[in-house]
Amino acid sequence: MFSGLMRPVEVLYEVAVDAPLATTLTYSQPVGRTDEERVPAGCCVRVPLGRRQAIGYVLGPAEPQPADAPAFVVKPIAEVLTEAPFFPASLIPFYRWIARYYHHPLGEVLRTALPLAPTSRGSSRQVRAKMRPVLLPGPLLPPVIDPEERLAVDEIVDAAEVAVQVSLKQAERKTLTLFCEALIQGNHRPVPRALLLERYSGAGPRLKRLVELGILAQIAERVLRDPFGEAEEAQPPPVRLTDEQQQVLATLLPAMDAQVFAPFLLFGVTGCGKTEVYLRAVEQALAADKTALVLVPEIALASQLEAHFHARFGSRLALLHSGLSDGERFDQWQQVLSGPACVVLGARSAVFAPLEHLGIVIVDEEHEPAYKQEDGLRYNGRDLAVLRAQMAGCPVLLGSATPSVVSYHHCMQGKYTLLTMTKRVAAQPLPAVEIVDLAAVRRSRPDLAFSDQLIGAMAETLEQGRQSLLFVNRRGFSPYMGCRDCGAILQCRHCHVSLTLHRGQHTLLCHYCGFRQHPATLCPACGSPRISGGGIGSERIEEEVRQLFPEARVARLDSDTTASRRHYAATLRAVRSGRIDILVGTQMIAKGLHFPRITLVGVVWADTGLGMPDYKAAERTFALLSQVTGRAGRGSDPGRVLIQTYQPRHYSITLAQRHDYPAFYEQEIATRRPLHYPPFSRLVNIRFSGRKEERVERAAIQVGRFLHEHPLAGRGEILGPSPAPLVKLKDKVRWQLMVKSGSPAVLHELCEAVLAERSKLCPHDVTMGFDVDPENMM
C-alpha cells in the first residue's frame, strides 16, 4: 500500500463547532440518512464534542483522510437542527477571514454572525442524576445537581447515571391560526382564532370539536412581524439633485456598472444631502438585479434612515439590528435569505446579513467608534463592510462629515477615491460657532452648568419661537458622588468606576455592570453622611433648563429615556412638529438628525473626552463637536452654536469652530507621525482578565516576556504589560499589553506565536483575548 492511497470514501462534513477550538472538526453522515441525503453547507447541527454535545455549523464536505494519516474515529452528526441553510455558502470565505484576522475561533465567529440560529447559549439545560449508593460519614446529602454550579459531567459520571437534556434557544416563524367553513375554504375569508375567542368567550373547546366534525377547517398561515412600527415621515425625493450630488454620482455609478471593487470616501459637510446619494446608489444596484447593504453605527441612526429607505424600497427593505425583537430579526433575516428583501439597513451586526450578489455597500458615519464590537469577537463593522465589498467585487461608499484619520489618509495615499461635498442643500450656510471659555467668563448663576451667553441665547431663541438643542456627553444627573468630608468617591462594588446618580430613578448606577445602590448612603471611607454629586449629566441639564425656563417645552433623549423605539420615535416627531422647544441629549442627538427648526446648539461641556488616555481623544472630540454643530441651521433660518470649554485653545475645538477638517487632519497627522500611531502603524491590544489579580498580572508578564524574546520583536514595539485604565470590571481584574508594528504580517505572526504557547503562558482561570485594531484603550 502506497502513501497516496485513500481510505474508502464516506460522507464527511467540515463543521465549525461553537467552542473555543482553533480548528474545525470532521463529522460523518447523521445516522439514518442515506449518502444521497447530504446536509447542505450553512445548516446548523448538533454534534458530539467529548462527553457533551455542542452546536456546529456545516461548512461543506470535509477532505478524505489519506491512508497514512493517523487513524481516528469520525463520529456522526447527532442531529440536523435546520434542514435549510441558515447562511449562504458564499459567505464561508468571509467567516474564515474574520477568524484568522481577529484570532477568534471560527465556530464562535459564526455564533456572533448568526445570533438567531439555534444555540445552546442562553438556553435551558436540565441535569438529572440517579446517584449510586455511597457510604458517607455523617448525614447524607440529597442527590441534587445544580447546573449553576457548573459541575462537569466528566467529574460525576463515575458516581452517577447522568442524563443531560438541552432545550435550544431558537427564534421561530410566527404562525396565525385561522378558521373557515370546511366546505368553502377557497371562497370564504378565514377568521383568526384570537378574534373568535375575543368575541365568543370559552369558544376554544368548541372550535376544536367543530374541526373534528369537519364543519370548520383550521389553517396555519405564516405571519411576518412588522419591525418598522411608526416610522418617521420621509421627505419626498428632491426634484433636482444639487450639482455636488450629481458630480458624486457621476463618479460612483460607473464604478457600480463596472462591477469591480472600488472604495470611495464621501467627505460631505453636515446637511449636504449624503442620504440622497445613498438612495440613488441603492436604486442603481437594484436596477442591475443586485443587492445593497447599508450600515449605520447606532440604532438611533437606523431609525432616522429607515423612513427614507422604506419610502423608496418598501417590502424590498429589511432591518437588522439589536433594537428589534428576536422574532422580528428572525423574520427579517429569513426575508433576506429567501430573496424578497434585497436591501439591508442596520447597525454593525448587519454586516453579516445573508445577502448575495452585492452591488453596493454603504457605511454612513464611517468614523464612528460604535462600529467596533467591544467584547467577544472584537470586529469592526466598517472594516468588514469594506472586506465584503472586496469579496463581492462591488464598490463600497464610506460617508462622513468628519472622516476618520485613517480613512482620509487612505485617500491621500491613493488607496481610496475621495468624493467631496462642501455645500449644504439649498445653499444653507454652516452655523456660526462661538467658544465660551468657562475659566474666564463671569457667570451670574455659578450653581448652573450654563454661561450667561448660553442662557441669553436660549432665551432669545425661545422668544423667536425657534428650537434649541443642548448636548452633554454624559447621562444621569451626576457622573460621580463624593464625600464632602474626606473626598472619597463612591465606586461600584464590582468595577473600578464611579457610580452615577440617576435622580429620576432614585438610584446610584454603574454604567458598566448595572450595579445599583440607594443614594442615601454613608461614605465607605469615613462613614460621613455628607455625600453630594459632582459633574454634569443630561438629567441634570434637563432639570436646570426647566428651572431657567419653566414655560418651555423640554424633552431629553439618552439611553435612559429611549428604552423603546416607540418613545424615541415619538420624541423625534414632537421635535419635528415644533411641539418641543429645547431638546437635551447625549451622543444620539449629535448626528444624523435633521430638524429644520433648530437654530441654536449649545455644547454644555466640550472637554469630556480630551482627558482620556487614548491617542484618538482629539479626533473623537473634533468629530463630536463638528457633528453636533451640524444640527443647527438646517432650515431657512441661520444657525448658531455655543461651545463651552475649559480648553478654548485646543486644536480639536478651534478647528471644529472653523469647520476645517483638512487643517485638523494635518495637525493630527503631525502629532501621530513621531509617535508611530495609526495610520503609520497597526495595533493589537492583548487583554487579560480574571478574578485573581496576581494570576492575571503573572500571565500578562509572561506573555510580555515571551514577545520580547521572540525573533520578530525587533520589527515591532511592545508596550506594557500594565493594568488597564479600567483595572476592574464586573469583578474581574484587567491587564493589557499593546503590540505595535508597521507590518500587519508581523503583528499577526506574533499573535499566532502567543496562541501556540497559550497553555504554557496563560493559566486556565485567566482569559486572554486579542483586540486587533482597537478603538477603545480602556
Side-chain angles (χ1 to χ4, degrees):
M1 182 180 295
F2 57 95
S3 61
L5 185 64
M6 308 300 292
R7 291 173 179 157
V9 176
E10 61 177 320
V11 179
L12 300 177
Y13 299 97
E14 182 187 12
V15 177
V17 179
D18 181 7
L21 300 175
T23 62
T24 57
L25 301 179
T26 300
Y27 291 91
S28 60
Q29 187 80 329
V31 175
R33 270 172 124 65
T34 66
D35 288 354
E36 288 71 31
E37 297 175 311
R38 303 294 177 96
V39 181
C43 287
C44 300
V45 294
R46 195 198 324 250
V47 294
L49 184 65
R51 295 189 179 183
R52 65 184 179 94
Q53 292 194 336
I55 301 301
Y57 309 93
V58 177
L59 303 179
E63 293 294 329
Q65 292 294 310
D68 59 350
F72 64 92
V73 176
V74 178
K75 297 181 180 179
I77 291 173
E79 182 183 1
V80 179
L81 301 173
T82 58
E83 289 291 345
F86 209 81
F87 58 88
S90 60
L91 284 183
I92 293 175
F94 178 61
Y95 301 140
R96 292 188 194 274
W97 188 97
I98 294 170
R100 289 193 303 269
Y101 186 80
Y102 290 105
H103 304 282
H104 204 77
L106 180 56
E108 295 186 358
V109 168
L110 281 156
R111 189 226 311 156
T112 301
L114 311 171
L116 300 177
T119 175
S120 56
R121 306 282 173 130
S123 303
S124 62
R125 169 177 287 196
Q126 296 179 340
V127 181
R128 301 197 309 273
K130 180 180 179 182
M131 304 300 291
R132 297 174 187 152
V134 180
L135 293 176
L136 296 174
L140 291 177
L141 297 175
V144 175
I145 298 176
D146 183 0
E148 292 298 321
E149 295 178 0
R150 300 180 182 178
L151 290 177
V153 172
D154 294 352
E155 297 174 3
I156 62 175
V157 71
D158 291 333
E161 296 175 11
V162 180
V164 181
Q165 291 182 336
V166 178
S167 176
L168 294 175
K169 178 183 179 182
Q170 180 179 4
E172 297 178 345
R173 289 178 170 84
K174 181 179 180 181
T175 57
L176 183 65
T177 302
L178 305 164
F179 291 93
C180 67
E181 293 184 52
L183 298 179
I184 51 173
Q185 292 183 41
N187 301 316
H188 198 280
R189 186 173 181 178
V191 180
R193 181 176 188 273
L195 181 59
L196 288 172
L197 294 180
E198 180 182 334
R199 290 189 178 181
Y200 305 103
S201 177
R206 294 173 177 82
L207 289 174
K208 182 178 179 181
R209 180 59 179 159
L210 289 172
V211 171
E212 292 173 351
L213 294 173
I215 299 173
L216 290 183
Q218 182 173 329
I219 306 167
E221 184 177 286
R222 173 78 190 276
V223 178
L224 291 178
R225 288 154 281 211
D226 180 16
F228 296 99
E230 300 179 35
E232 286 294 296
E233 182 180 350
Q235 300 296 319
V239 176
R240 182 182 179 277
L241 296 177
T242 67
D243 291 342
E244 289 187 329
Q245 287 173 328
Q246 293 181 42
Q247 291 168 8
V248 167
L249 289 169
T251 303
L252 176 63
L253 299 186
M256 294 177 60
D257 291 338
Q259 299 184 19
V260 294
F261 171 64
F264 294 92
L265 175 63
L266 176 54
F267 172 28
V269 298
T270 54
C272 67
K274 292 189 289 293
T275 299
E276 186 61 31
V277 171
Y278 301 158
L279 291 165
R280 298 295 176 102
V282 172
E283 286 176 346
Q284 176 86 353
L286 299 190
D289 291 326
K290 298 285 187 178
T291 61
L293 172 63
V294 183
L295 297 185
V296 292
E298 296 174 353
I299 297 171
L301 286 180
S303 300
Q304 292 300 301
L305 290 181
E306 177 184 316
H308 297 286
F309 277 79
H310 192 256
R312 296 283 180 96
F313 307 114
S315 60
R316 294 179 293 176
L317 174 67
L319 297 181
L320 287 176
H321 57 69
S322 59
L324 307 177
S325 68
D326 282 352
E328 289 170 340
R329 281 203 291 169
F330 178 83
D331 285 350
Q332 294 293 290
W333 184 277
Q334 293 296 331
Q335 287 292 95
V336 177
L337 194 59
S338 59
C342 48
V343 181
V344 169
L345 170 65
R348 63 172 175 260
S349 62
V351 76
F352 301 112
L355 286 165
E356 296 194 271
H357 313 298
L358 278 169
I360 185 69
V361 175
I362 297 171
V363 183
D364 191 30
E365 308 291 358
E366 66 87 26
H367 66 280
E368 276 291 324
Y371 278 117
K372 178 75 172 183
Q373 174 71 25
E374 291 295 347
D375 54 17
L377 171 61
R378 296 175 180 269
Y379 68 93
N380 188 304
R382 176 201 60 197
D383 297 346
L384 292 188
V386 175
L387 176 67
R388 281 208 70 172
Q390 185 177 27
M391 288 184 164
C394 73
V396 57
L397 180 62
L398 311 177
S400 177
T402 55
S404 68
V405 169
V406 170
S407 293
Y408 198 79
H409 186 73
H410 287 337
C411 292
M412 299 299 100
Q413 299 298 308
K415 295 180 179 179
Y416 291 178
T417 299
L418 180 63
L419 308 172
T420 58
M421 297 170 66
T422 61
K423 300 175 184 177
R424 284 183 158 186
V425 174
Q428 301 141 324
L430 290 170
V433 181
E434 306 167 40
I435 295 178
V436 179
D437 183 355
L438 292 176
V441 299
R442 189 185 70 84
R443 295 162 65 180
S444 58
R445 292 292 306 270
D447 57 316
L448 302 182
F450 306 119
S451 62
D452 290 355
Q453 292 97 316
L454 185 52
I455 293 174
M458 285 190 286
E460 182 181 343
T461 304
L462 274 173
E463 290 173 4
Q464 295 170 343
R466 297 170 181 166
Q467 294 173 313
S468 300
L469 183 152
L470 298 177
F471 168 75
V472 58
N473 201 20
R474 288 284 187 273
R475 62 187 175 104
F477 190 89
S478 297
Y480 66 89
M481 299 289 287
C483 175
R484 285 182 285 172
D485 289 329
C486 73
I489 302 297
L490 297 187
Q491 289 194 331
C492 173
R493 296 177 185 173
H494 311 285
C495 309
H496 194 66
V497 294
S498 60
L499 293 170
T500 298
L501 172 63
H502 289 254
R503 181 176 286 184
Q505 302 175 27
H506 199 60
T507 188
L508 299 176
L509 177 65
C510 174
H511 288 171
Y512 288 87
C513 73
F515 169 76
R516 293 175 180 269
Q517 182 174 319
H518 196 281
T521 186
L522 301 178
C523 173
C526 69
S528 170
R530 289 162 39 87
I531 304 294
S532 61
I536 302 169
S538 55
E539 188 180 6
R540 173 182 167 181
I541 296 305
E542 179 190 17
E543 182 176 299
E544 292 184 359
V545 168
R546 294 185 186 277
Q547 289 179 19
L548 286 170
F549 307 105
E551 75 284 1
R553 296 165 298 179
V554 183
R556 172 165 55 95
L557 278 180
D558 54 29
S559 56
D560 294 329
T561 63
T562 56
S564 74
R565 295 174 68 228
R566 182 170 298 178
H567 174 80
Y568 175 76
T571 303
L572 295 187
R573 283 195 297 273
V575 176
R576 187 164 284 113
S577 63
R579 290 180 282 119
I580 298 295
D581 298 312
I582 301 175
L583 177 64
V584 179
T586 53
Q587 286 195 41
M588 65 173 56
I589 66 169
K591 44 192 175 287
L593 298 177
H594 177 74
F595 294 139
R597 290 186 175 92
I598 289 181
T599 58
L600 174 67
V601 166
V603 179
V604 178
W605 188 33
D607 309 347
T608 307
L610 286 176
M612 303 296 284
D614 191 338
Y615 76 95
K616 289 188 175 182
E619 178 181 358
R620 289 187 179 140
T621 298
F622 176 87
L624 201 51
L625 293 179
S626 298
Q627 292 286 340
V628 73
T629 291
R631 300 315 107 203
R634 298 171 75 99
S636 57
D637 297 318
R640 181 186 181 191
V641 179
L642 276 78
I643 298 176
Q644 298 188 154
T645 176
Y646 285 99
Q647 302 183 62
R649 285 171 291 278
H650 195 284
Y651 66 91
S652 66
I653 294 176
T654 59
L655 294 176
Q657 178 191 25
R658 289 161 38 190
H659 311 290
D660 195 345
Y661 178 83
F664 170 79
Y665 168 79
E666 294 297 335
Q667 176 69 52
E668 188 69 7
I669 282 291
T671 302
R672 294 187 191 184
R673 183 180 283 110
L675 299 174
H676 203 56
Y677 274 115
F680 303 104
S681 69
R682 303 287 282 275
L683 303 176
V684 174
N685 195 5
I686 307 177
R687 301 173 182 266
F688 305 85
S689 67
R691 296 187 179 275
K692 297 181 179 179
E693 183 174 2
E694 66 280 0
R695 293 178 69 81
V696 174
E697 179 181 359
R698 188 183 310 126
I701 291 173
Q702 288 181 166
V703 171
R705 185 181 300 119
F706 173 82
L707 287 172
H708 278 290
E709 295 172 353
H710 194 278
L712 289 176
R715 296 184 57 188
E717 185 179 357
I718 300 164
L719 307 175
S722 63
L726 287 178
V727 69
K728 184 182 179 184
L729 207 59
K730 299 179 181 178
D731 288 321
K732 291 188 176 181
V733 177
R734 306 162 74 241
W735 276 60
Q736 60 189 30
L737 177 68
M738 187 76 70
V739 186
K740 181 166 59 173
S741 176
S743 168
V746 169
L747 281 179
H748 289 294
E749 191 167 341
L750 288 172
C751 292
E752 290 297 332
V754 171
L755 282 171
E757 301 293 326
R758 182 174 194 154
S759 60
K760 299 177 183 177
L761 298 172
C762 193
H764 65 88
D765 58 348
V766 174
T767 300
M768 179 177 67
F770 296 84
D771 189 358
V772 182
D773 304 325
E775 278 286 339
N776 181 0
M777 301 300 171
M778 302 300 288

